[in-house]
Amino acid sequence: SPLVCEQARELAQQVLSQTDLDDAARIRQAYQTCYQREPLSSETNRSLNFLKELEAAQPETVPADRRRAALRGLCRSLLAANEFLFVE
């Protein structure tokens, strides 16, 4: 949906604006923002692999744009997950 895409873009921009963070820390921040918890180590590893795969799928794009698009995709998946949609 356009709302989810817009929110994913905003979240990715928020995470990327903190230039002192590495990818694992950016993933932790995104999880903290979306789910109010730290990601499990397996979730961090999957997320890191997800970022690498999305970046590799865009070889013609400049690196900064690849990173932004990959992180936006990760944020979109976090926002679309059942954990975000339902409170237990």
Side-chain angles (χ1 to χ4, degrees):
S1 85
L3 175 64
V4 172
C5 290
E6 175 64 22
Q7 293 304 308
R9 187 183 65 74
E10 291 294 326
L11 178 56
Q13 188 58 43
Q14 175 188 346
V15 171
L16 282 170
S17 70
Q18 297 184 23
T19 57
D20 59 325
L21 300 181
D22 64 6
D23 285 342
R26 287 184 176 117
I27 290 165
R28 282 193 299 277
Q29 183 182 359
Y31 266 78
Q32 215 31 276
T33 300
C34 290
Y35 304 144
Q36 302 299 301
R37 68 170 180 84
E38 294 285 320
L40 301 173
S41 62
S42 61
E43 291 169 325
T44 299
N45 291 334
R46 278 196 312 263
S47 296
L48 287 168
N49 288 334
F50 183 77
L51 291 176
K52 287 178 189 174
E53 288 176 12
L54 283 179
E55 285 186 58
Q58 310 171 61
E60 69 286 346
T61 309
V62 291
D65 291 343
R66 282 195 305 255
R67 174 51 44 106
R68 188 177 304 108
L71 195 56
R72 192 171 53 240
L74 176 65
C75 291
R76 190 170 43 246
S77 70
L78 293 175
L79 293 171
N82 281 341
E83 185 171 352
F84 183 79
L85 300 173
F86 297 101
V87 177
E88 291 185 20

